[in-house]
Every structure is written in C-alpha cells, then in structure tokens.
Amino acid sequence: MNESKAAIRAWTRAQARLGLRMARPSIILGVISSLLAVAQIWCIANILGPALTTLLPVSGVASGNEPIWPFAGFAGFSMIRLAVNAASEISAATAGRAARRRLRGEVLSSIIGAGPAVLQQTHSGALAALAVDRIEALDGYFSRWAPASVLWVGAPACLFLSVLWVQPRAALILGLCGAAVPVAQAVFGIGAAVASRNQFLAMTRLQARFLDRIRGIATIVLSGRADEEASRLATAADDLRVRTMKILRVAFLSSASIDCAMIIALIAIALSDGKHALAAASDPDRQYLLKVVTDSLFALLVVPEFFAPFRGLALAYQDRALAQGAATEILALPEPQPEAESHPVRTVEAHGVTIAFEDVCFTWDASRGAALDHVSFVAPAGETTVLAGPSGAGKSTIMELLLGFIRPDSGRITFNGADMQAIVPDALARMTSWIGQRPVLFAGTLRENIMFARPDATEEEVSSALRSSSVDRFLADLPDGLETVIGEGGFGLSGGQAQRIAIARAYLKNAPILLLDEPTAYLDPVTEADVFESLKRLALKRTVILASHSTAVHMFNGRRVDLVHGRVAARQGAA
Amino acid sequence: MSESGAGSPEDRRRKNENADRAALLRIIEVWRPHAARLAVGLGLSLLAVLAGLALMSSAGLRFAGAALGVVVVTTASLRILGVSRVGLRYGERLFAHDAMFRALATLRVWFFRSLAEGAAAGLGFRKAGDLLSRLVSDVEVLDGLYLRILLPLAGACITFPVLLVVLSTVNPLLAVLVGVLFAASAFVAPLAAARLSRKEGGALNRAQARLRVGVLDLVTGMREIRAFGASRRMLDRIAQDNDALLRRQAQLSSFLAYVGAMSQFFTQAAIFLVLAAIAGVGFARIPVVQGIGALFLTLAAFESVSGLTRAGMLAGNMGAAARRVVGIAEKRTIATKPVTQATTMPADFDIRFENVDFRWQPDRPFVLQNFSLDILAGTRIALLGSSGAGKSTVAALLLKATFPQNGRITLGGVDIAALPDTWLRRKIAWLSQATHLFDDTIRNNLLLGAPQASEDALWRALDEAAVGDFVKSLPEQLDTWLGEGGVKVSGGQGRRIALARTLLSDAPILVLDEPATGLDAQTEQEFFRTLNAVASHRTVLLIAHRLTGVEKLDRIWRIAGGRATAATA
C-alpha cells in the first residue's frame, strides 16, 4: 500500500516535471502579462495623478495640460496585454493537449503490450474510460495547475518589485499582506488541507457511488429495490453534506484569508498613502506632491493584480487532486513485457510450416496449478491437428502461446524447427490466421472489416474471399451491401454471419498457418455444421490447429491430441 | 441522431434551444423545495458583490480625498466595508455550498427515482453502456448549474444597474458607454461562447465517441489485431481519431481565448473611457474625486464578470445535458393494453407464456411469435438458442422490463401485467452478464438482494456460491470494497458474488441469463457445478446458447424462429 502510494507520488512528480516543461511558454507569457499590467497601471497613475493635483487650490500645473503619453501607453499596453493573455491561454491549452496525447499513447501501448490478459483484471469498458475520459479529465492538471503552480510566486514577485521601486512603504504593506497568505493558508490550512483531501476522496466516492448506482440501475430495479436505494442515496448525500460543510467552514477560511489580506492591503495603502499625500500637499514643491500622488495611486491599483494569482492557484488545486486519482489507475496497468530476444532474429519460410511443441509448461496462476504440464506434440505442415478435451484442459492456453501473448515457462515451440521466440513478431503475424469464438467486428464498413486482414488486397481478391467464405450469401440482405456499417453501433449481424466474416478475413490473408479456437462455440448446431463445412475448405493445404470440444469436429479427419488437465492424454494419427 | 426533426436546420436549432431551456427550467423546478435556501445564497452573493464594489470605490475615493485634504470616506466606513466584504463572501460561500449540496442531492435522487420508474428496467437488456456513461457525465455537467452559472450571472445582473446608476450621477454619456461595454462583456461574450459550445458540442461528442469506440475495438479485438499484425494500424487509427478530437478542442480553445480577449478589451475600453472623462478628453471633465471612485467601481465591476465567458461555455453544454437527462428521466414504458391491477397475489409460481408475440420496435421483425412455454414451479429448465433468437427477451418479458404485443404471461394463473412491478421482481431473482456489481463493500452488494439478511445468511449464501473461502481470506472480509464494476476481484469470483446475492434473496424463481459469459472455460464449469448444488427447491430458468454438459436440468427447450421447441441435451 505504502509502496503504491510512493509510486503514485513518483508518477505525479514525473508528470509535474513534464507538465512544467510544457507549461513554460504559458508561464513566461503570464509573467510578461504581469509586467504589462505594471506598465498599464503606471500609465493610469500618471493620468490620475496630474488630474488630482490640478484640483488643488494652489495649482502648480496648468489645467488641461496633461501629458498625452499615458493615454497612448495605456491603450498600447492594453492591446499587447490582450494578445499576450490570449497567447498564454492558447499555449496552456496546447500543453494540455500535448500531455493528453502523450499519456493516451502510453496507456494504449501498455494495454496492447499486456495483451488480452489485461482483460482478466479490468473490464474493457473501464479500460476505455481510462484511455478516454480519465485522461481527458487530466487536461486541467497540465493546462491550469502547472502554470498556476509557478505563477502564484512569479507574478506577485514581479509586481512586488515594481512597487518596491516606486513606493517602498506601500511595497512593505503589500509584502507583509502577501506573505500572510501562505502563513494563513498554513494556519487554517494544515488541518484543512488534510481534511479537505480526505473530503475530496469522500466526495469523489459519493460521486462515484451515485454514478455507479446509475450504471447498475437495471440491477437495482430488477431486484425490486429501487425505493430503498433511492432513500439510501439521499441519506448518504445528506451525511456527506453535513460532514463536508464542517470542513468547508475551515477550508473557506483559507480563501477568506486571501480576500482579507487583499482588503487589508488596500485599506492600509489607501490610509497611509492618503496621510502622506496630505502632508505633501502642504509642501511647496508641486512636483513632489505629484510624484507622491502618482506613486501611491500606482501602488493602490496594483493590489488586485497582486492577489489574483493566489486565487488562480486555489482554483486549480482540484485539478491536482484529479491527477492523483488518475495516477492510481494508470499505474494499475501492467508494465509492457520486455522483449527477451537473446536468440538471433530470423524468419521462417512462408509455406508449409510444421509446428512442434517440445515439453512446454505454462502456469497462469500458481494456486490453480499448471495450465500446461510438459506438453509435446507435432502439427505437421499442411495437415489439421485437433486439440480435444474438456474445457479448461489447456486448449486456450496453447492458442495464447501460439498468438505470442504469453511465453512458455519452460520448453519451446518451434516453427519448421526455429524457436518461435526467435522469429520476428511481424513475420509471425504474416504466417498465421486466427479465428476465435466470437470474432470482433470493428466499427466500420463490412469491406473495411474484411480488408482488415490485408489492407492492400485487390477488388478481385476481396470478392474471391467473399465467395469462398459464403459471405456473398447474406450480402444481399444487408442495407448497403459491402458498405454496410457494422460493429459497435452498426448493423447487427448474427453469430454465424460474423464468423463468416472471420473466415473471409482468413481467406484474404491466405496464411500458411490457421489457428481455430472453438470457432463454433457460440453457434447453434445447424449453423455450426455449415460453418465447419466452410472451415474445412479453408483448411486445405494449411497447417491447422483446431481447438474444440464440439462433437462436430469429427468432420475434420486428421490428427488429434487429447488434453486433460494440461497434459497430453492421447494422440491419434501420430501427432 | 435522435435529433431528427422536420424543417430547416434553423428550425431544428431553434427547437433544440427551446427544448434545452425547458429542460433547464424542469431541473430548476426540481429544486423548488430548496428555493428559499438557494435564494438566500443568491442574496448573500449579491450583497458580497455590492460590498466589493463599494469597498473598491471607497478606497479610491478615500485616497483621492486625502490627497485633496478632504475626508470623503471615513476610516471607519472603510473598515466596515472591508469586514463586511470578507464576512459576506465567507458567508455566501458557506451558504451557497450548503444549498448547492442539498439541491444536488435532490436532483440526483429525483433522477434516480424517475429513471427507476421509467426506462431503467429495459436497460438491463440492451447494450446501454454508452448511453449510461453519457448520462452520467451529463449529470456531472449539471452539478455546476447553480454555483458556476446562476450565481455569477445573478451577480452580473445586479452589478449592471449599480454601475449605470453610479456612473450616471457622474456623467450620463459615460454611463451609457460603459454600460454598453459592460453588457457586451457580461452578457454578449458569454452568450457567444454558449452558442458556440452548443454548436460545437455535438461534433465534439461525436469525436469523443469515435475515439471511445476505437479504444474499445482495440481492447476487445486484441487477438485479431495480433493475429493480423495490425497493432500499428489500429494505433494509427486511434491516433487519427485522437488528433481529430484534439483539433476540434484546439479550435474551441482558441475561439474561447479570443472571446476572452474580446471581453478583456471591453474592460480596457471602459477604463480608458473613465480615464478620458477624468482628464476631460472627449468628455466634459468630471470631478476627479468622483472620477476615481468611478474608476475603481468600473474595475471591480468588470473584474467580477470576467469568469462569465467560461460560464457561458459551460451553459452551452448544460442545455443539451439537461435535455438528455430530463428526456431519459421522464421516459415511460407503456403497457400496450390497460389491465386492472390484481388484488390478490398468486399463491403458486407456475410460469406460463401464452401465444406471446413480441418485437422491440414496430419497424423490426418479431423476435417471438406465437411463443408458448410452461415452466412448473420448482423445475429446472434450460432455454437454448443462438444469439438474437430471443432468449433474453423471454427474461425481459417475465420481469416486465417490456411488454408483449399479443398474448399474455401468467404467474400462478394471474396475468403479470396485473401484478405490481416491485412485488413481481422480488419473486424473480435475475442474474445475467449485465448484472452489476456495485462499487461498494461485499456486504452492501449482497444486501441488495435481501436488505434484512443476517450475517450468517450472508456467509451461507457466499458458501453456497463457493466463494465463502475466498471472502474469508480477504483481510476485511465482508467489508472489502469491490472496485467499480467489481474489478478488484477476478471475473469468476465477481460472478460468484453476484450469484450469492441472487441466492440470498428468497425469490422462488431464479432467472440466469448466460450467467457465465466472459468466464474462462474452467471457471465456467465450476460455476455450473456450484449451481447444481444450490437452489434445489426453486424454479431455475437457465438461458444459454449452449450447455457445458455439467448442468443438471429437468427440461431443455430450444428457441428458434420465435418459438420454443423441446430438445434433448
């Protein structure tokens, strides 16, 4: 637990570093914007100062004779500042997007690297939510929190220095009030920060609970428990409100302290500078009075600018908390497997492949025993080998090994004598076709789904695959023929039709090895016989490994390996 | 997609806009019990805004007056304003948050109840994952309605007249010009942002949905992808979708930056005008002390509405979110024929489907046609069929998640249409792959089936489902927190916990709809062996596409062409 907390902290720290690097332009622009604010305020002070002093009974400056430069300066600096602010916002958003693109890429690669095993731990919907929504929610961390975490020191520092230069007394007040902010945050905050972090957790949990109840609402309604659950939701929300308010009472003190510091600074500067201005008014030197008034006005007008970044930081704080939540989930993804390539990489001839298992052992989970226990068999080139046996005997494990998702714990698998581990993954993929229990139809047209097997296939090759797989038999029933959109949210196909599409893919790919993993498990017997007929034609002249416990496999007369509890119990046809 | 409507795009847009507004009003109506609190919160927030305006302009006046040797604002009144500004702001935050929490709780419970009474039952039988996660994020979007939109908007509405009145005492022309700029900054720019986000919202949602589908394809199709060496291709495709989404967001964020810049421009222009008036450039020179007060007021007023552009952006999304939430919450499934409610409940639990015709939608083919099936109480029946043959429809009809177009279904001789939903559903325990494990403790997950169950009963049910030992091995036992969707336990254990919940209920009928889908073969068999040993005196209806061979059954039916025929194992 502690270890994972440390991991989360390390991850967030690494992200923060990256985030800061990306936020640099936006931070620099933010500081420039502060400097421009200084210039602007200086112009305003230089308009107001003369205006005020001209009103004095003994006027030293002729009325209506005010310099024009502050107006031009104000307008000019305003325009530049608008542009700088917009640029800063756009560059912060760019940093947020870049970070999301990077994180999404990392998450997807580790999902792909982990293979189907990742689905045993996490539901596919949850993975999609992580890759899409959770990462989307991290935007604020990179686009708001990262710049705010620097600017809250940087921007007030610039303003402070400028006031110090112009009006040291006001700078002292501003500095004291500004320094009081972190102190007040610490006094009210130490308790409140811990509590509010817990509170944030409690709140997210309640939120999650509600959302989770909505996701599972059918389960609740179908158990006839909707009323109870509704009142339980209400009670939980009310409890949380009471607890939250207790904490907010303290937590808001820390934001009130920012308000308070600002107001004290404002009033203190107004009062003390007012007194000085009054004293200066009796001074015969009009220029001195003008300077005092102008400088004081400058200091007074800087106050709201000075405190704005503190508020920005407080607002961005929850973005940081969100990032920690996401870290937990991203870290829960398995590390991508390191490529253990000690053997020289090689390819194998692309026709007539003999596959041999030599003393292969594999264990998924030590508590459940070995899934494969010293399994050896040979699947000769161009013939069909049936893996038979009850469910759980190890057939699926053999398929996962042949697809390269897992590696033998001991023993080896050879393709024409070459160790499978030594073959380039691309070459391996070129050699094999695979048809599983329920083919996944990707969102897209039927044509795209078939050409998925070979994107560069010609029109003739596609139509020949359609004929051989009997897809053409139901093509006419589809609303747009080959261009019908299928997959998620598309036209619903029956299990048999989907399996024919998988067969069409295999025809199109025309690979020498064909792996069939219970291809008819989800079909009714009539369709099953029909699909097997097509598979038999597909199997001609290929090395086929067929895992099935269906009685219909007797249609494939070939070699047969009987598996029981991960061991080879019997071989027929000299496998 | 569902937004089909006759007429030009312009008409449709207007219609949608009206629907959005109606939905927002409907939600505000749900908040009526909290009207007083919300109003007080609003009042406090307005007072805080006023105190802020007064403080800023007094501070300016005070200094200006001091320079001239006159006391325009006393120190005491400054202090009072300062203290009340801080106090009011604090009180407002506290009060408004309290009111908002109450309002949110009410909104959520209202939504939950409406959904439960309406469309929810059917969601268990449809692929509703996307719909639900969309709804969930819609409800989240609505969270900000009061705090982030209504309060600041009301603040702007009160600031506007104050600004106008104060400035008009100084110089009417100045008041009009600054007023126009304020309105542009506080109302026009946010409105533009709202318009745009509404317009872009649809496209943005679609881009995000595309990305989600791509990721789901990648995750579920990993074997295909590996076998066809398509990892690179799939990742590229997702990267394209991702780029498309990011491009849209980039457009939106730069537009937002420009709108923000425009709103800042209005602020600067207003300040410029006030300065000009003070210096007497282009305006009749205004008294400088008042001028400085006006300047500080203008600064504070524009500052208080600077966040409204972003709020407008949110508001644009909120309308559509409200429309979808209200639309779903108020959807009702309607029985085709009115039936008088039964007064006496049936005494036995024989189930009988009599010549049932059913289709999900009028334009789809019939799923069940002249379908009849008898299930005697206490028997164990399997209903087999290929996907799409209508197996799950049978369960949906039995649970009154939907209603037959013709024929009837009886329980103990009484038409189920005449039985109260809740009563009926408590007699039927339903377990399917869609059965949800809640992000809660194991105990609370189990208690959903039988809220009054004792500790012993919980353990007995877990033992019967062959998961008792596993739960005992967990450090927190029954109080172990299951992750979202039960992700902290393996698929098999999760399914067993769901089975334990089903067994815990004293329902005389168990409906098991493909209960082992997604489990590996070994776990699946163990699961069915467990099932054989339990539920000996209850009716069991097992729905599956095939049998594993270990199930103990009294009869097997096969469903094809909309009818059930007797079959042998």
Side-chain angles (χ1 to χ4, degrees), chain A residues 326-566:
Chain A
T328 329
E329 277 184 50
I330 291 174
L331 287 169
L333 287 178
E335 296 275 320
Q337 288 178 9
E339 292 292 329
E341 275 178 310
S342 47
H343 308 280
V345 170
R346 51 176 296 186
T347 55
V348 169
E349 233 161 284
H351 46 81
V353 180
T354 299
I355 299 172
F357 271 59
E358 297 173 12
D359 228 16
V360 172
C361 294
F362 186 83
T363 307
W364 286 101
D365 174 1
S367 65
R368 289 207 334 226
L372 293 183
D373 191 2
H374 298 280
V375 168
S376 303
F377 67 88
V378 177
E383 292 185 35
T384 298
T385 307
V386 175
L387 299 176
S391 303
K395 304 190 298 279
S396 300
T397 309
I398 289 179
M399 287 295 168
E400 298 286 90
L401 282 167
L402 287 170
L403 282 173
F405 285 121
I406 49 177
R407 298 191 186 126
D409 294 338
S410 64
R412 57 181 210 142
I413 305 166
T414 61
F415 284 45
N416 279 355
D419 191 331
M420 190 184 153
Q421 305 305 327
I423 303 173
V424 203
D426 275 354
L428 209 57
R430 266 201 302 282
M431 285 192 296
T432 38
S433 286
W434 172 87
I435 296 176
Q437 304 186 350
R438 272 199 276 202
V440 171
L441 300 177
F442 299 102
T445 63
L446 180 56
R447 180 194 297 277
E448 284 165 357
N449 262 286
I450 291 173
M451 288 182 62
F452 172 78
R454 198 146 64 80
D456 56 352
T458 65
E459 196 61 31
E460 285 99 85
E461 287 170 322
V462 171
S463 47
S464 139
L466 290 176
R467 265 195 313 280
S468 311
S469 59
S470 311
V471 169
D472 56 354
R473 266 198 264 158
F474 64 84
L475 215 49
D477 302 338
L478 301 179
D480 299 316
L482 210 46
E483 307 306 327
T484 306
V485 174
I486 55 176
E488 174 84 27
F491 190 84
L493 294 176
S494 77
Q497 290 170 335
Q499 208 55 287
R500 295 205 173 280
I501 291 173
I503 295 173
R505 282 178 183 159
Y507 267 114
L508 197 59
K509 185 167 182 192
N510 198 18
I513 303 171
L514 177 61
L515 305 174
L516 302 172
D517 188 5
E518 311 236 16
T520 58
Y522 282 88
L523 303 180
D524 59 79
V526 181
T527 321
E528 177 176 34
D530 207 26
V531 167
F532 261 129
E533 202 52 54
S534 297
L535 285 175
K536 249 172 78 177
R537 259 178 288 130
L538 175 63
L540 285 176
K541 294 189 188 146
R542 296 175 212 272
T543 311
V544 179
I545 296 185
L546 165 64
S548 179
H549 65 233
S550 167
T551 44
V553 289
H554 63 76
M555 291 173 70
F556 283 80
N557 33 21
R559 293 149 183 275
R560 175 170 162 151
V561 177
D562 281 300
L563 289 164
V564 176
H565 292 308

Side-chain angles (χ1 to χ4, degrees), chain B residues 124-432:
Chain B
F125 296 93
R126 259 175 286 147
K127 233 185 168 181
D130 194 47
L131 172 75
L132 281 178
S133 54
R134 171 101 164 263
L135 266 184
V136 155
S137 61
D138 284 343
V139 174
E140 274 184 310
V141 166
L142 287 175
D143 282 2
L145 180 59
Y146 177 68
L147 271 188
R148 294 168 74 180
I149 295 184
L150 289 184
L151 282 188
L153 192 65
C157 289
I158 200 86
T159 307
F160 188 43
V162 170
L163 187 69
L164 278 183
V165 167
V166 173
L167 287 186
S168 62
T169 61
V170 180
N171 181 330
L173 177 62
L174 182 67
V176 170
L177 290 177
V178 172
V180 168
L181 288 170
F182 183 83
S185 173
F187 307 118
V188 177
L191 201 67
R195 274 275 157 78
L196 181 84
S197 77
R198 188 211 304 276
K199 203 174 99 213
E200 282 290 295
L204 214 57
N205 273 339
R206 275 193 296 280
Q208 203 163 340
R210 265 186 76 91
L211 178 64
R212 194 190 314 275
V213 168
V215 173
L216 267 176
D217 274 354
L218 174 85
V219 172
T220 49
M222 268 190 283
R223 288 190 181 81
E224 270 90 351
I225 290 168
R226 175 72 64 106
F228 291 108
S231 318
R232 201 59 268 153
R233 260 187 283 152
M234 280 310 270
L235 281 176
D236 285 349
R237 200 172 119 179
I238 293 176
Q240 269 173 28
D241 289 344
N242 191 21
D243 287 347
L245 174 69
L246 294 181
R247 245 193 327 274
R248 285 217 165 267
Q249 289 175 335
Q251 278 170 10
L252 199 62
S253 74
S254 31
F255 179 83
L256 203 65
Y258 299 141
V259 173
M262 200 159 64
S263 150
Q264 282 174 37
F265 171 76
F266 297 141
T267 310
Q268 302 300 331
I271 295 170
F272 189 81
L273 287 177
V274 177
L275 289 175
I278 292 172
V281 181
F283 288 90
R285 181 186 281 269
I286 59 173
V288 74
V289 175
Q290 281 175 354
I292 288 179
L295 177 70
F296 275 74
L297 177 71
T298 308
L299 277 175
F302 277 85
E303 155 82 36
S304 75
V305 297
S306 61
L308 271 175
T309 308
R310 205 158 280 279
M313 194 80 203
L314 270 178
N317 292 330
M318 227 169 254
R323 175 156 48 91
R324 286 192 290 263
V325 165
V326 169
I328 287 285
E330 299 194 332
K331 196 182 207 163
R332 294 277 173 275
T333 45
I334 313 147
T336 41
K337 51 184 178 193
V339 184
T340 43
Q341 289 295 301
T343 42
T344 49
M345 297 299 134
D348 70 280
F349 297 106
D350 291 345
I351 301 164
R352 177 188 273 267
F353 283 73
E354 293 174 10
N355 306 65
V356 169
D357 292 340
F358 177 78
R359 54 183 165 186
W360 286 99
Q361 255 148 38
D363 56 342
R364 302 287 295 189
F366 276 101
V367 184
L368 299 179
Q369 232 170 346
N370 207 6
F371 177 87
S372 296
L373 184 66
D374 276 325
I375 304 170
L376 294 179
T379 54
R380 302 169 78 91
I381 302 289
L383 192 57
L384 305 182
S386 55
S387 62
K391 294 166 302 190
S392 297
T393 310
V394 172
L397 286 168
L398 191 56
L399 283 156
K400 286 176 77 173
T402 184
F403 302 91
Q405 278 86 28
N406 289 308
R408 60 177 206 150
I409 304 152
T410 61
L411 182 69
V414 182
D415 190 337
I416 60 165
L419 295 172
D421 297 358
T422 307
W423 183 89
L424 176 76
R425 287 170 185 162
R426 289 193 186 178
K427 298 296 168 205
I428 302 171
W430 171 74
L431 176 66
S432 89

Side-chain angles (χ1 to χ4, degrees), chain A residues 40 55 85 100-101 104 133 136 212-213 219 224 241 249 255 391 400 440 443 452 509 521-522, chain B residues 90 93 98 102 212 217 223-224 227 233 242-243 249 264 268 288 426 436 439-440 545-546:
Chain A
Q40 248 185 320
L55 278 189
N85 282 350
R100 277 180 287 143
R101 182 201 301 265
R104 206 162 268 152
D133 305 301
E136 207 59 9
D212 183 52
R213 293 304 191 266
T219 302
R241 178 183 58 80
R249 243 169 262 159
S255 54
S391 303
E400 298 286 90
V440 171
F452 172 78
K509 185 167 182 192
Y522 282 88
Chain B
Y90 178 75
R93 278 206 184 128
D98 184 68
R102 286 173 199 265
R212 194 190 314 275
D217 274 354
R223 288 190 181 81
E224 270 90 351
R233 260 187 283 152
N242 191 21
D243 287 347
Q249 289 175 335
Q264 282 174 37
Q268 302 300 331
V288 74
R426 289 193 186 178
H436 192 79
D439 185 11
D440 208 326
H545 63 276
R546 64 176 167 87

Side-chain angles (χ1 to χ4, degrees), chain A residues 209-389:
Chain A
R209 174 182 170 137
F210 169 74
L211 303 180
D212 183 52
R213 293 304 191 266
I214 293 291
R215 281 194 195 100
I217 194 167
T219 302
I220 295 170
V221 170
L222 292 175
S223 350
R225 300 285 166 197
D227 277 343
E228 282 100 326
E229 200 51 42
S231 34
R232 238 181 287 163
L233 272 178
T235 327
D238 210 49
D239 279 356
L240 183 85
R241 178 183 58 80
V242 173
R243 272 185 293 137
T244 310
M245 290 317 295
K246 250 184 223 156
I247 284 154
L248 286 185
R249 243 169 262 159
V250 184
F252 284 157
L253 278 182
S254 73
S255 54
S257 71
I258 300 179
D259 280 352
C260 204
M262 182 182 112
I263 286 165
I264 290 174
L266 197 66
I267 296 180
I269 291 176
L271 292 181
S272 86
D273 281 6
K275 222 174 284 165
H276 274 266
L278 199 56
S282 53
D283 194 289
D285 184 357
R286 295 287 94 184
Q287 284 307 318
Y288 174 65
L289 174 68
L290 180 63
K291 185 179 174 337
V292 167
V293 169
T294 307
D295 292 353
S296 304
L297 278 170
F298 173 74
L300 206 57
L301 284 163
V302 161
V303 174
E305 285 292 334
F306 181 82
F307 286 93
F310 293 119
R311 285 210 208 103
L313 183 77
L315 284 179
Y317 197 81
Q318 65 168 3
D319 291 319
R320 184 165 171 260
L322 271 177
Q324 281 165 341
T328 329
E329 277 184 50
I330 291 174
L331 287 169
L333 287 178
E335 296 275 320
Q337 288 178 9
E339 292 292 329
E341 275 178 310
S342 47
H343 308 280
V345 170
R346 51 176 296 186
T347 55
V348 169
E349 233 161 284
H351 46 81
V353 180
T354 299
I355 299 172
F357 271 59
E358 297 173 12
D359 228 16
V360 172
C361 294
F362 186 83
T363 307
W364 286 101
D365 174 1
S367 65
R368 289 207 334 226
L372 293 183
D373 191 2
H374 298 280
V375 168
S376 303
F377 67 88
V378 177
E383 292 185 35
T384 298
T385 307
V386 175
L387 299 176

Side-chain angles (χ1 to χ4, degrees), chain A residues 16-91:
Chain A
R17 253 197 312 277
L18 282 169
L20 279 183
R21 194 177 314 147
M22 286 187 296
R24 207 172 288 157
S26 142
I27 292 171
I28 291 171
L29 288 168
V31 171
I32 292 176
S33 165
S34 285
L35 294 174
L36 285 167
V38 168
Q40 248 185 320
I41 292 171
W42 181 244
C43 292
I44 299 180
N46 274 295
I47 295 168
L48 295 182
L52 258 180
T53 43
T54 49
L55 278 189
L56 288 175
V58 209
S59 180
V61 190
S63 112
N65 195 14
E66 279 164 49
I68 206 70
W69 69 263
F71 283 98
F74 176 80
F77 289 129
S78 291
M79 292 303 118
I80 301 174
R81 193 171 177 215
L82 289 185
V84 167
N85 282 350
S88 164
E89 196 175 325
I90 289 173
S91 90

Side-chain angles (χ1 to χ4, degrees), chain B residues 108-133:
Chain B
R108 294 184 163 196
V109 172
W110 168 80
F111 179 62
F112 183 86
R113 274 188 200 279
S114 322
L115 196 57
E117 284 160 15
L123 295 180
F125 296 93
R126 259 175 286 147
K127 233 185 168 181
D130 194 47
L131 172 75
L132 281 178
S133 54

